[in-house]
Amino acid sequence: EPEVTQTPSHQVTQMGQEVILRCVPISNHLYFYWYRQILGQKVEFLVSFYNNEISEKSEIFDDQFSVERPDGSNFTLKIRSTKLEDSAMYFCASSEVIRAGEETQYFGPGTRLLVL
Amino acid sequence: GENVEQHPSTLSVQEGDSAVIKCTYSDSASNYFPWYKQELGKGPQLIIDIRSNVGEKKDQRIAVTLNKTAKHFSLHITETQPEDSAVYFCAASTWVGGKLIFGQGTELSVKP
């Protein structure tokens, strides 16, 4: 069964460093998402991406964040200058979304980011 | 703003009992309501979803009900088993392809 994959599974970085989190969405999917989950809190939406551009973004997704689909398979989240509060589990999701009834979002296993 | 509230935060049941988790949402434009199960160290996995044109949906031991007037929806798990133990999240979305707004999660523990 196709699944969303993410690398790395864990990342430790120093405050102020740049990190890139990578995702490979399910191959025929058209919508891509990043969410994050701070330990013990709810899953929060960061950004959605469709047709090579940002479709929607949250207040969390400020200028320190960027997303890219550098090729036909990868979808990346870059944090330019990490802060302590960026420590969280980051989930990538993808969705086929042709019409109502096909909007299920499939989540990857996550990347646990720890900023020291 | 958009918000989804979920209760209870923890739920402990005996194997074979039923479990009910409830969510309320604030945005009346919400029309898609998925439920996810998250096991330790894994990403959320969809277990069932419901759209606003339906009041109830069932899949074996799992059912979801939706009350659009009251803006709440519930997950019902019958004949619970130890492998049902996990964190369950409700979510809501207002348009096809739109972001999911998640509830706080319910940690379900099923005791053998």
Side-chain angles (χ1 to χ4, degrees):
Chain A
E1 184 175 322
E3 57 183 21
V4 177
T5 59
Q6 290 184 242
T7 53
S9 57
H10 294 79
Q11 173 103 39
V12 181
T13 189
Q14 294 291 323
M15 190 170 56
Q17 294 296 303
E18 175 183 286
V19 294
I20 297 176
L21 309 183
R22 292 182 167 81
C23 168
V24 179
I26 295 172
S27 62
N28 63 331
H29 284 189
L30 302 177
Y31 274 81
F32 314 114
Y33 310 83
W34 283 101
Y35 293 84
R36 78 172 186 189
Q37 185 179 29
I38 295 171
L39 191 63
Q41 298 186 21
K42 62 167 71 177
V43 178
E44 300 174 288
F45 168 77
L46 292 178
V47 65
S48 59
F49 192 85
Y50 171 72
N51 201 25
N52 286 318
E53 60 183 23
I54 289 175
S55 175
E56 194 174 8
K57 61 182 181 180
S58 72
E59 292 176 354
I60 303 167
F61 194 87
D62 62 22
D63 292 344
Q64 293 300 311
F65 291 87
S66 63
V67 289
E68 196 176 37
R69 189 154 162 82
D71 53 43
S73 60
N74 290 284
F75 179 51
T76 62
L77 174 69
K78 182 193 289 186
I79 309 175
R80 254 179 283 279
S81 178
T82 50
K83 307 184 187 76
L84 296 177
E85 54 265 36
D86 293 329
S87 295
M89 180 74 94
Y90 288 80
F91 292 108
C92 173
S94 71
S95 176
E96 189 175 9
V97 187
I98 304 297
R99 62 188 69 83
E102 296 174 354
E103 67 258 64
T104 299
Q105 293 185 26
Y106 296 88
F107 282 74
T111 293
R112 184 167 295 285
L113 176 65
L114 178 61
V115 182
L116 302 177
Chain B
E2 305 150 316
N3 191 38
V4 175
E5 294 290 331
Q6 182 173 348
H7 299 280
S9 57
T10 61
L11 179 59
S12 181
V13 299
Q14 288 295 130
E15 182 177 1
D17 287 351
S18 294
V20 180
I21 303 170
K22 298 182 179 182
C23 289
T24 58
Y25 58 97
S26 61
D27 190 344
S28 55
S30 297
N31 57 14
Y32 173 63
F33 307 92
W35 285 88
Y36 286 85
K37 176 182 180 182
Q38 186 179 25
E39 296 174 321
L40 202 60
K42 297 185 179 180
Q45 300 291 311
L46 180 80
I47 55 171
I48 195 167
D49 56 13
I50 192 167
R51 291 170 182 84
S52 58
N53 57 346
V54 175
E56 184 174 356
K57 183 176 176 180
K58 191 172 181 181
D59 182 3
Q60 299 183 340
R61 297 186 297 109
I62 295 173
V64 57
T65 58
L66 171 66
N67 183 327
K68 283 216 75 178
T69 304
K71 291 193 284 187
H72 67 70
F73 56 113
S74 301
L75 177 72
H76 304 252
I77 306 174
T78 58
E79 301 170 31
T80 53
Q81 301 164 3
E83 50 265 40
D84 293 330
S85 296
V87 179
Y88 291 81
F89 290 97
C90 63
S93 175
T94 58
W95 56 280
V96 176
K99 65 187 176 193
L100 293 176
I101 304 297
F102 281 84
Q104 296 92 329
T106 296
E107 185 173 1
L108 174 64
S109 175
V110 181
K111 300 189 183 308

